[in-house]
């Protein structure tokens, strides 16, 4: 029997307590990885840990606010202390923006959106990369969005953060390309998660409205993003770095 493709690898996933992060953590574990779960929501994270354990993998669930440098440093340190290495990071935690035209976005809202959705990835990579270098290299995937490649009315702060993530990803990829660390971004379309439920209002009309943006006529499943993250993180994606992979059912193709 062939070894699972992530056997012996340690993967650090943020925003692991729900949606895309949870599905990706489970997918990594199902393919042999040891998974470190970092989320501000302890109960969601514990539920993910329970689901990951069902795959027999080793798991460590940590309460971590990705806007806190100290908490990120502590989480990365704990992961390395517990498992001896760090090979993979999926920096995915994020929050949505309630629709508002630019003038109606408060300065606090702007700061919060950029903090959670962009500065967090800078902080995560700042402390993950030294650990990966000690492990002989690694792979990082940051969660951008379709909103990282197009403008969207009423979403200036979210769109700015998600565009910024792609620039951050490309530049960091170049900084570490020669040292065995690949850095990519994933840009999901409309994905069926608690965040999308909140954004659409969760009503039949709200769901229809967001599905209306999808040429394929449905929302994506978190597992359909997880499979792309796993490809980017695996040896199959070994020549991919600085790439922003759009997985969006065609949402941004015709724009
Ligand atoms: P979700 O709300 O279901 O999950 C987000 C997770 O991030 C939650 O578990 C939450 O507790 C965690 N989180 C939020 N703030 C945090 C913080 N400060 N520190 C640590 N954890 C924090 O959302 P999702 O739909 O799974 O979204 C995951 C990522 O995908 C986000 O970055 C989002 O912007 C992006 N995205 C989502 C969609 C979509 O349609 N759902 C589309 C494109 C991009």
């Amino acid at each position: 029997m062939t070894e699972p493709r992530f056997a012996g690898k340690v993967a650090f996933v943020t925003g692991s307590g729900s949606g895309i992060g949870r599905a990706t953590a489970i997918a990594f574990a199902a393919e042999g990885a040891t998974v470190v779960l970092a989320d501000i929501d302890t109960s969601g994270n514990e539920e993910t840990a329970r689901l990951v354990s069902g795959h027999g993998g080793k798991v460590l669930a940590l309460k971590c606010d990705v806007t806190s440098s100290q908490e990120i440093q502590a989480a990365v340190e704990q992961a390395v202390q517990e498992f001896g290495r760090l090979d993979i990071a999926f920096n995915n935690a994020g929050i949505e923006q309630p629709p508002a035209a630019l003038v109606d976005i408060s300065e606090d809202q702007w700061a919060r959106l950029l903090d959670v959705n962009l500065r967090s990835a800078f902080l995560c990579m700042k402390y993950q990369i030294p650990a990966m270098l000690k492990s002989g290299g690694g792979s990082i995937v940051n969660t951008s969005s379709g909103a990282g490649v197009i403008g969207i009315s009423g979403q200036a702060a979210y769109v700015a953060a998600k565009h910024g993530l792609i620039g951050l990803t490309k530049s960091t990829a170049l900084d570490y390309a020669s040292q065995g660390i690949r850095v990519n971004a994933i840009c999901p379309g409309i994905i069926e998660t608690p965040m999308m439920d909140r954004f659409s209002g969760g009503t039949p009309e709200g769901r229809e409205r967001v599905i209306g943006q999808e040429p394929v006529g449905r929302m994506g499943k978190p597992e359909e993003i997880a499979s792309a993250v796993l490809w980017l993180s695996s040896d199959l994606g070994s020549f991919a770095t600085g790439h922003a992979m759009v997985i969006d059912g065609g949402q941004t193709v015709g724009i």
Side-chain angles (χ1 to χ4, degrees):
M1 212 174 87
T2 53
E3 270 217 324
R5 68 177 155 161
F6 294 106
K9 303 283 187 196
V10 178
F12 188 101
V13 179
T14 76
S16 48
S18 177
I20 293 169
R22 172 178 287 169
T24 306
I26 293 169
F28 272 128
E31 300 216 30
T34 292
V35 190
V36 181
L37 307 172
D39 202 295
I40 200 168
D41 170 13
T42 318
S43 66
N45 220 19
E46 275 165 11
E47 174 60 8
T48 304
R50 194 186 63 75
L51 294 166
V52 163
S53 301
H55 292 277
K58 279 187 271 183
V59 60
L60 175 65
L62 299 173
K63 181 166 192 297
C64 174
D65 179 346
V66 293
T67 65
S68 159
S69 170
Q70 287 93 327
E71 291 190 22
I72 293 167
Q73 281 184 69
V76 171
E77 259 175 46
Q78 217 177 317
V80 172
Q81 225 165 39
E82 189 95 8
F83 301 120
R85 55 187 302 113
L86 181 63
D87 306 283
I88 293 163
F90 180 40
N91 297 322
N92 161 78
I95 53 172
E96 68 275 19
Q97 180 196 325
L102 185 128
V103 170
D104 302 320
I105 299 172
S106 73
E107 293 181 32
D108 284 349
Q109 263 183 323
W110 168 270
R112 179 79 187 144
L113 254 295
L114 272 284
D115 216 19
V116 180
N117 289 352
L118 177 57
R119 184 169 163 275
S120 63
F122 158 69
L123 290 174
C124 283
M125 291 196 289
K126 185 169 172 60
Y127 298 107
Q128 291 159 349
I129 287 172
M132 286 182 177
L133 289 172
K134 283 190 196 142
S135 307
S139 164
I140 298 174
V141 178
N142 296 317
T143 302
S144 178
S145 170
V149 297
I150 57 168
I152 303 175
S153 170
Q155 289 293 307
Y158 186 81
V159 165
K162 294 298 188 182
H163 273 68
L165 263 178
I166 293 179
L168 177 69
T169 296
K170 287 182 176 179
S171 298
T172 313
L174 293 175
D175 286 344
Y176 295 96
S178 66
Q179 295 175 68
I181 295 185
R182 297 184 296 106
V183 188
N184 293 289
I186 190 89
C187 304
I190 305 283
I191 310 300
E192 187 138 29
T193 68
M195 176 188 282
M196 187 44 68
D197 252 10
R198 292 189 298 272
F199 185 74
S200 69
T203 59
E205 306 76 51
R207 288 173 59 85
E208 276 314 302
R209 183 171 42 79
V210 293
I211 290 171
Q213 298 176 29
E214 283 290 1
V216 295
R218 66 171 177 86
M219 293 194 207
K221 300 186 184 74
E223 293 74 17
E224 292 176 299
I225 301 305
S227 62
V229 175
L230 263 65
W231 184 86
L232 284 169
S233 305
S234 76
D235 286 344
L236 291 177
S238 55
F239 205 51
T241 197
H243 179 51
M245 182 183 272
V246 178
I247 304 284
D248 74 347
Q251 183 194 16
T252 60
V253 171
I255 293 174

